[in-house]
């Protein structure tokens, strides 16, 4: 049974390992910086998916200027195409809605391009993709 919940400190190693497995080296370094920043600001917007206490997916979100942003989704290769990414996105959307953000956006960088269709399948449109994501505090620091 898959379970989605907020990130906890004990998840740090398995999540780091997951990101190393899934992301390219460039993307990993960028993501780890953003991940650390988001954890120090608001770890409620970092969610993990687990099966039998093993972490198989995660999503990093951030709120900037009263907009919610999906920053990075990662699902272990063995568990891809099973709806886990969708479940993570939907769970994070719930958090954004609880915070009453004005709009929800998807950061679109070269690393996210391959999964933009996943967001589209959930009803997001091209106008929801945010391409100047370098300006986000989570990235710019």
């Amino acid at each position: 049974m898959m379970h989605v919940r907020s990130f906890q400190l004990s998840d740090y190693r398995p999540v780091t390992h997951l990101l190393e497995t899934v992301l390219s080296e460039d993307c990993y370094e960028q993501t780890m910086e953003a991940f650390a920043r988001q954890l120090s600001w608001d770890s409620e917007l970092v969610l993990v998916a687990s099966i039998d206490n093993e972490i198989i997916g995660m999503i990093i979100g951030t709120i900037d200027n009263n907009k919610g942003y999906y920053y990075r989704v990662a699902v272990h290769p063995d568990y891809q195409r099973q709806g886990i990414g969708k479940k993570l996105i939907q769970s994070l959307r719930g958090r954004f809605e609880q915070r009453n953000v004005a709009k929800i956006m998807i950061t679109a960088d070269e690393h996210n391009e391959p999964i933009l269709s996943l967001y589209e399948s959930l009803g997001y449109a091209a106008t929801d993709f945010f391409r100047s994501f370098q300006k986000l505090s989570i990235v710019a620091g």
Side-chain angles (χ1 to χ4, degrees), residues 7-20:
F7 175 90
Q8 295 158 0
L9 212 50
S10 57
D11 300 327
Y12 191 81
R13 282 181 77 118
V15 163
T16 304
H17 183 67
L18 171 73
L19 292 173
E20 261 178 332

Side-chain angles (χ1 to χ4, degrees), residues 18 21-23 56-57 73-85 115 118:
L18 171 73
T21 306
V22 178
L23 308 177
I56 53 154
V73 184
V75 175
H76 192 281
D78 296 348
Y79 293 94
Q80 286 172 7
R81 310 213 174 282
Q82 294 177 30
I84 292 161
I115 60 152
L118 174 63

Side-chain angles (χ1 to χ4, degrees), residues 59-64 67-74 85-86 88-90 92-93 96 101-136 138-139:
I59 188 165
I60 301 169
T62 193
I63 292 175
D64 205 315
K67 292 190 180 86
Y69 293 88
Y70 300 107
Y71 174 70
R72 186 79 68 224
V73 184
K86 283 187 179 178
L88 284 162
I89 291 166
Q90 286 162 336
L92 185 54
R93 176 161 62 195
F96 285 149
V101 298
K103 187 161 172 50
I104 299 177
M105 306 287 286
I106 297 107
T107 58
D109 59 10
E110 70 274 22
H111 308 298
N112 276 358
E113 285 294 336
I115 60 152
L116 293 183
S117 57
L118 174 63
Y119 289 102
E120 285 170 339
S121 72
L122 288 167
Y124 291 96
T127 49
D128 301 320
F129 300 143
F130 183 67
R131 292 185 190 276
S132 48
F133 76 101
Q134 285 91 348
K135 294 179 184 147
L136 288 179
I138 192 176
V139 180

Side-chain angles (χ1 to χ4, degrees), residues 25-103:
E25 209 172 313
D26 272 6
C27 183
Y28 173 76
E29 283 175 24
Q30 214 178 68
T31 302
M32 285 306 289
E33 282 180 33
F35 175 48
R37 257 179 223 126
Q38 188 55 42
L39 284 184
S40 66
W41 293 338
D42 187 348
S43 60
E44 288 277 297
L45 299 178
V46 179
L47 303 181
V48 298
S50 63
I51 291 178
D52 300 330
N53 291 322
E54 189 196 344
I55 290 182
I56 53 154
M58 65 95 68
I59 188 165
I60 301 169
T62 193
I63 292 175
D64 205 315
N65 230 337
N66 198 32
K67 292 190 180 86
Y69 293 88
Y70 300 107
Y71 174 70
R72 186 79 68 224
V73 184
V75 175
H76 192 281
D78 296 348
Y79 293 94
Q80 286 172 7
R81 310 213 174 282
Q82 294 177 30
I84 292 161
K86 283 187 179 178
K87 190 91 177 107
L88 284 162
I89 291 166
Q90 286 162 336
S91 301
L92 185 54
R93 176 161 62 195
R95 301 271 163 112
F96 285 149
E97 285 168 354
Q98 283 170 348
R99 307 287 181 90
N100 294 316
V101 298
K103 187 161 172 50

